């Protein structure tokens, strides 16, 4: 019996050590979430413009090209649910906030909380951004073991990437995503568009849950004298041609209704803006860093025209 237990310990020990190493790795190595959380706190005294949203604003709006101190708090696959949690966590700490830019695009209004990538990203928000995330049960072991929520092969790839590149952070100190460069862009954007749309299409037309979220953000901004710019970010022509037109029109009309009903809201629709060509995009629906420069200047000009 003792021999069996000894063999079992010898067998399990390397597995336990690997698990402990990966969990410690998750806890100490900076990533986009922890880096943004650290830097947004450093900008409470100066930030006048706050950018929220998913990867389209993360990679598409660069604070450097805004005329007022700006911070980008958006992130990859960040739903409106987490936009609201982040907004409410930091709102009262900003001393000079005058404008919030919120991304309203093809997937955001229909994206439900706690689905898709939220199944593991929600633990990142809790662990790295100090968020109270109501959709996580206090009995969920993910509260204590962040690495357990991703497949083992994904964890190994993450460790390998860190030792290869020396970082897991893909954004600058202003929160802008820097790794989608023009030099690395996909050249077959038109071919990729069909599969990209298939991944993004959820076939949902009930926006009520996220309309309430946007209304809450707008209302809180209104109470503090903060203006809101809703922006639908540009996509490639091949992408825009393949979306559900009925759904797209409902999204645009919903955003226009927000503007009509609220004096502190302006809406900018860049979805099919002719100023953007394939040369501005990293892939079918994301701008690269040079495309983001163009988009940021356009949004900033719009902001200035609105006297914001």
């Amino acid at each position: 019996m003792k021999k069996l237990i000894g063999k079992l310990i010898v067998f399990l020990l390397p597995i336990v050590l690997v698990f402990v190493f990966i969990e410690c790795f998750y806890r100490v190595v900076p990533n986009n979430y922890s880096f943004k959380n650290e830097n947004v706190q450093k900008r409470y005294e100066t930030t006048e413009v706050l950018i929220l949203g998913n990867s389209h604003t993360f990679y598409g709006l660069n604070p450097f090209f805004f005329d007022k101190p700006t911070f980008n708090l958006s992130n990859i696959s960040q739903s409106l649910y987490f936009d609201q949690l982040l907004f409410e966590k930091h709102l009262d700490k900003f001393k000079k906030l005058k404008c919030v830019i919120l991304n309203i695009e093809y997937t955001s209004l229909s994206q439900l909380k706690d689905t898709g990538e939220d199944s593991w990203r929600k633990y990142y928000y809790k662990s790295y951004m100090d968020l109270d995330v109501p959709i996580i049960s206090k009995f969920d072991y993910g509260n204590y073991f962040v690495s357990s929520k991703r497949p083992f092969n994904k964890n190994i790839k993450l460790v390998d990437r860190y030792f290869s590149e020396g970082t897991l952070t893909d954004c600058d100190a202003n929160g802008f995503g820097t790794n989608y460069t023009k030099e690395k862009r996909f050249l077959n954007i038109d071919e990729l568009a069909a599969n990209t749309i298939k991944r993004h299409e959820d076939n949902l037309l009930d926006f009520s849950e996220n309309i309430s979220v946007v209304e809450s953000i707008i209302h809180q901004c209104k109470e503090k004298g903060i203006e809101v710019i809703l922006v639908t970010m540009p996509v490639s022509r091949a992408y825009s041609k393949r979306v559900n037109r009925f759904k797209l029109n409902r999204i645009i009309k919903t955003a226009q209704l927000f503007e009509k009903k609220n004096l502190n809201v302006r809406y900018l629709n860049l979805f099919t803006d002719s100023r953007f060509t394939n040369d501005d995009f990293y892939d079918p629906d994301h701008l690269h860093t040079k495309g983001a420069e163009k988009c940021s200047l356009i949004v900033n000009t719009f902001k200035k025209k609105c006297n914001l």
Side-chain angles (χ1 to χ4, degrees):
M1 186 66 178
K2 289 183 179 180
K3 287 184 178 181
L4 179 61
I5 293 174
K7 289 181 179 180
L8 188 61
I9 292 173
V10 171
F11 174 75
L12 291 176
L13 185 60
I15 298 175
V16 172
L17 290 176
V18 169
F19 176 81
V20 171
F21 168 77
I22 292 176
E23 184 62 28
C24 290
F25 173 86
Y26 266 77
R27 295 290 179 175
V28 300
V29 175
N31 55 38
N32 289 342
Y33 298 83
S34 59
F35 191 66
K36 279 177 179 276
N37 190 51
E38 176 186 348
N39 280 282
V40 71
Q41 295 177 59
K42 295 177 181 178
R43 287 162 172 74
Y44 285 153
E45 300 291 332
T46 58
T47 297
E48 295 186 31
V49 180
L50 180 67
I51 299 169
L52 296 168
N54 57 20
S55 57
H56 293 138
T57 42
F58 177 67
Y59 289 115
L61 293 179
N62 187 345
F64 180 81
F65 297 103
F66 284 75
D67 65 326
K68 302 294 183 182
T70 301
F71 190 81
N72 190 326
L73 198 54
S74 57
N75 216 326
I76 298 170
S77 295
Q78 184 164 292
S79 64
L80 285 165
Y81 175 77
F82 284 104
D83 281 333
Q84 182 182 19
L85 292 182
L86 287 167
F87 171 76
E88 292 177 349
K89 171 183 170 62
H90 297 290
L91 176 60
D92 290 335
K93 300 180 179 69
F94 287 114
K95 304 303 182 184
K96 298 181 179 180
L97 190 63
K98 297 176 181 176
C99 178
V100 170
I101 298 175
L102 181 62
N103 182 24
I104 300 294
E105 46 93 15
Y106 188 69
T107 61
S108 61
L109 286 179
S110 59
Q111 184 178 354
L112 302 177
K113 63 177 179 287
D114 209 15
T115 57
E117 294 193 0
D118 278 0
S119 63
W120 59 272
R121 290 187 188 275
K122 61 187 176 184
Y123 301 100
Y124 280 37
Y125 285 102
K126 180 178 176 63
S127 297
Y128 302 126
M129 304 196 84
D130 300 323
L131 276 185
D132 178 19
V133 183
I135 55 176
I136 300 178
S137 166
K138 62 180 180 180
F139 303 109
D140 192 325
Y141 63 89
N143 287 312
Y144 315 103
F145 304 107
V146 183
S147 62
S148 66
K149 292 302 180 175
R150 300 208 70 192
F152 182 74
N153 66 316
K154 295 284 187 181
N155 290 334
I156 295 301
K157 285 182 179 179
L158 205 63
V159 173
D160 181 64
R161 181 194 162 192
Y162 176 72
F163 284 107
S164 298
E165 301 178 15
T167 183
L168 296 180
T169 304
D170 298 319
C171 60
D172 63 21
N174 293 319
F176 171 68
T178 56
N179 58 320
Y180 277 17
T181 63
K182 184 174 183 178
E183 294 73 25
K184 296 178 181 179
R185 73 187 184 94
F186 290 90
L187 300 178
N188 58 336
I189 283 177
D190 290 344
E191 298 172 25
L192 294 171
N195 283 333
T196 303
I197 282 291
K198 285 181 181 178
R199 291 200 316 272
H200 291 175
E201 186 56 73
D202 54 24
N203 296 307
L204 297 177
L205 293 173
D206 182 0
F207 302 158
S208 56
E209 182 176 294
N210 284 307
I211 285 175
S212 296
V213 169
V214 176
E215 286 176 338
S216 175
I217 292 173
I218 290 172
H219 177 71
Q220 291 177 75
C221 284
K222 188 182 300 182
E223 287 189 328
K224 291 184 174 293
I226 298 170
E227 303 294 323
V228 178
I229 294 177
L230 304 178
V231 59
T232 301
M233 294 291 286
V235 296
S236 68
R237 196 162 301 173
Y239 183 101
S240 67
K241 286 181 178 179
R242 288 171 169 80
V243 299
N244 179 325
R245 307 310 297 183
F246 178 75
K247 179 178 179 180
L248 176 64
N249 289 334
R250 281 198 62 190
I251 292 167
I252 293 171
K253 287 180 180 178
T254 300
Q256 291 171 337
L257 189 59
F258 284 133
E259 180 180 39
K260 184 177 180 180
K261 292 171 62 177
N262 300 279
L263 294 176
N264 66 323
V265 175
R266 301 291 183 273
Y267 176 50
L268 176 61
N269 181 8
L270 300 175
F271 193 74
T272 56
D273 195 295
S274 60
R275 288 172 287 187
F276 296 92
T277 68
N278 275 7
D279 194 48
D280 294 309
F281 290 92
Y282 175 84
D283 61 20
D285 62 313
H286 295 98
L287 296 163
H288 52 60
T289 49
K290 290 299 292 182
E293 177 180 342
K294 176 191 288 190
C295 189
S296 301
L297 291 170
I298 289 172
V299 174
N300 185 62
T301 298
F302 178 81
K303 180 181 71 67
K304 290 166 67 177
K305 285 181 178 178
C306 296
N307 297 316
L308 304 181

